[in-house]
Amino acid sequence: MQTSRAPGVAFIFKKALISALVALVLFSLMIGVRTEAGSDGQLTYWTRFGDLAMMVATVFGGSIVVELLRQWWGPVGTVRVVPPQVTSALSFAGRLVAPVLLIFTFLVPVIFYNERYILDLGILVLTYVMLGWGLNVVVGLAGLLDLGYVAFYAVGAYSYALLAQSGIPYPHVSMVPPFVHVDFLQLGPWAFWVLLPVSGILAAFWGVLLGFPVLRLRGDYLAIVTLAFGEIIRLVLLNWQSLTGGPNGVTGIPRPTMFGIPLSPGDDGLAAKLGIEFSPTHRIVFLFYLILALALLTNWVTIRLRRLPIGRAWEALREDEVACRALGINTTTTKLTAFATGAMFGGLAGAFFATRQGFISPESFTFHESALVLAIVVLGGMGSQLGVALAALAMIGGFELFRGLDQYRMLVFGMAMVLLMIWRPRGLIGHRAPTVFLERNQAISSDLVKEGHG
């Protein structure tokens, strides 16, 4: 057992003092002094030295706590002995997290039926869970850093919105030659259920188109190209006004139905057919269970794919592309299938987003969305389905907890992310172990593992 000397009290206070001085320099102009243009056009300013002192004191105390926790947790190179009872208890509790969370999710509309705000927040969280699981195929399983995932989200949303309004084009068979005259098949109340897979297929097609130019790229170069792809899609949506409406977006997007039965107050609505009183909450509850079903479908398909040869090829590509080629794995099809699969789930989520909002515009598909989904995947743990769900719940729901702290909301959120990356550099639930083992699951010594390589 290796040991190392714990840092002394003087060292801890010295490091905390240095952190406090750095915070003083950084926050002096951000918090201590505020400026804005006055009514007469001149620049006015006011001071908030009390808030600045509180922030510096928080950094000072936080630095002491961090160092004490590091000393308690154990420095690098030491072996921490955990009692077997504690290990078994934590393992048992970890196995209960997923089913308990799933049961609670199913009961949310029942428990909070009259809380419209909580239901809307739950729909938003589940949408990002689905996006996180879709991006997890590309980033977490295949190891391809994608910064333009919002492009597939936008393709799915606009595909559904435009096709649901105009209809699906098909050739008029009486015309010669064919495809000269084109009619549009109106889908009516079945628009969402017919166009949902169409949106996913179109998004997967664009995922393949993105995959071809980046077959020889990796790392930072791959990230730059995918970032550019996302911006290209957004600019096309913004400037192709004859098709997408430009900055005005698309309005009047049809709402989903219960397999052809609208959720409306009319005589043909679901409430009238069931003989119950109509309530606007019915549609919100239906949307909640709809995105829950789509998210669970994404999770089930991803888990099944991981156990197939293509899933094992993704994991081999993530660990070492050169070794993957040496094993005879076709890296071209492996990358393309990863991009297409992740893009398909993003397109499905985009179609749901369009039908839920009833209005979409290019402002909803900026780089900020890609960065947020990528942060969910990284913080949750690349390759971990449960970790992505917990990270989405923490990040999307965490924003709402600090909604009253407008000035410090992003600061607290950023500090939480930094602390998480310090203690859990592989995410909340790091999962890089191969899905299939030759004989049994065998632990790997920490001396043979470095960050980024399993």
Side-chain angles (χ1 to χ4, degrees):
M1 178 182 301
Q2 299 178 1
T3 59
S4 61
R5 186 172 57 88
V9 177
F11 174 80
I12 295 177
F13 275 94
K14 179 181 178 181
K15 196 168 184 179
L17 182 60
I18 294 175
S19 301
L21 291 176
V22 173
L24 177 63
V25 174
L26 293 178
F27 298 148
S28 58
L29 296 179
M30 297 172 57
I31 300 177
V33 179
R34 299 288 295 178
T35 60
E36 69 177 14
S39 57
D40 55 353
Q42 296 183 354
L43 188 65
T44 60
Y45 72 95
W46 67 95
T47 59
R48 297 184 299 179
F49 293 138
D51 295 341
L52 177 61
M54 182 181 64
M55 186 60 63
V56 173
T58 302
V59 173
F60 181 79
S63 299
I64 296 177
V65 173
V66 167
E67 291 299 327
L68 292 177
L69 287 176
R70 281 181 174 176
Q71 180 177 350
W72 170 78
W73 188 260
V76 178
T78 62
V79 178
R80 296 181 294 272
V81 179
V82 180
Q85 297 81 1
V86 177
T87 303
S88 59
L90 292 177
S91 177
F92 179 74
R95 290 193 297 267
L96 290 180
V97 171
V100 170
L101 186 62
L102 181 60
I103 294 174
F104 175 76
T105 305
F106 271 106
L107 296 178
V108 163
V110 179
I111 300 175
F112 305 102
Y113 181 79
N114 296 321
E115 299 290 340
R116 173 67 182 271
Y117 171 75
I118 296 180
L119 292 178
D120 287 334
L121 180 60
I123 293 174
L124 183 63
V125 171
L126 288 174
T127 304
Y128 278 97
V129 168
M130 183 176 178
L131 288 172
W133 281 341
L135 184 60
N136 195 32
V137 174
V138 183
V139 179
L141 298 184
L144 303 172
L145 184 57
D146 188 356
L147 294 181
Y149 191 69
V150 72
F152 312 121
Y153 189 40
V155 168
Y158 271 88
S159 298
Y160 170 76
L162 297 177
L163 292 177
Q165 289 188 338
S166 62
I168 297 180
Y170 71 102
H172 197 283
V173 296
S174 63
M175 300 299 297
V176 179
F179 297 97
V180 172
H181 180 72
V182 176
D183 289 337
F184 289 88
L185 177 63
Q186 300 299 325
L187 301 174
W190 290 91
F192 175 77
W193 299 105
V194 174
L195 296 178
L196 180 65
V198 173
S199 301
I201 293 172
L202 291 176
F205 171 74
W206 282 98
V208 174
L209 290 183
L210 170 63
F212 275 109
V214 301
L215 288 176
R216 296 181 178 273
L217 301 178
R218 66 182 70 178
D220 300 337
Y221 304 101
L222 174 62
I224 293 173
V225 173
T226 55
L227 172 62
F229 179 79
E231 285 300 302
I232 289 173
I233 294 296
R234 186 184 67 84
L235 292 176
V236 169
L237 297 177
L238 190 63
N239 292 281
W240 197 352
Q241 298 189 17
S242 61
L243 179 64
T244 65
N248 297 324
V250 181
T251 59
I253 302 174
R255 301 290 188 177
T257 60
M258 178 69 80
F259 300 104
I261 304 176
L263 285 82
S264 60
D267 295 336
D268 59 342
L270 180 64
K273 291 182 179 298
L274 295 178
I276 59 177
E277 183 180 358
F278 172 77
S279 173
T281 310
H282 293 166
R283 185 178 66 86
I284 305 301
V285 173
F286 173 71
L287 289 175
F288 183 92
Y289 283 116
L290 177 58
I291 185 59
L292 177 60
L294 291 175
L296 292 178
L297 176 64
T298 304
N299 181 47
W300 180 78
V301 172
T302 303
I303 293 176
R304 295 292 296 177
L305 287 176
R306 291 181 66 169
R307 292 184 172 91
L308 295 177
I310 185 61
R312 300 197 293 273
W314 288 342
E315 293 176 340
L317 179 68
R318 175 191 64 192
E319 300 302 332
D320 195 323
E321 183 174 350
V322 176
C324 185
R325 292 176 183 271
L327 290 174
I329 297 176
N330 190 335
T331 57
T332 299
T333 57
T334 302
K335 291 182 179 181
L336 292 181
T337 52
F339 276 116
T341 305
M344 180 187 67
F345 293 135
L348 296 178
F352 173 82
F353 174 77
T355 191
R356 174 192 173 235
Q357 296 293 112
F359 166 77
I360 55 174
S361 65
E363 284 73 18
S364 301
F365 309 102
T366 59
F367 170 71
H368 176 267
E369 295 297 320
S370 292
L372 181 58
V373 178
L374 181 62
I376 289 174
V377 174
V378 174
L379 294 179
M382 293 190 296
S384 172
Q385 300 293 96
L386 178 59
V388 170
L390 294 177
L393 178 62
M395 294 186 67
I396 306 302
F399 268 123
E400 299 302 318
L401 292 178
F402 294 96
R403 181 167 291 276
L405 304 175
D406 295 334
Q407 298 177 352
Y408 307 104
R409 185 179 175 188
M410 294 303 298
L411 182 61
V412 173
F413 180 70
M415 290 175 61
M417 292 181 65
V418 170
L419 292 177
L420 180 60
M421 288 293 96
I422 290 176
W423 276 298
R424 302 289 297 179
R426 293 193 177 183
L428 289 172
I429 305 176
H431 181 82
R432 293 181 66 92
T435 304
V436 178
F437 305 96
L438 295 179
E439 294 181 358
R440 64 183 184 278
N441 188 351
Q442 184 175 359
I444 302 176
S445 174
S446 60
D447 297 335
L448 304 177
V449 180
K450 61 180 180 180
E451 193 64 36
H453 296 77

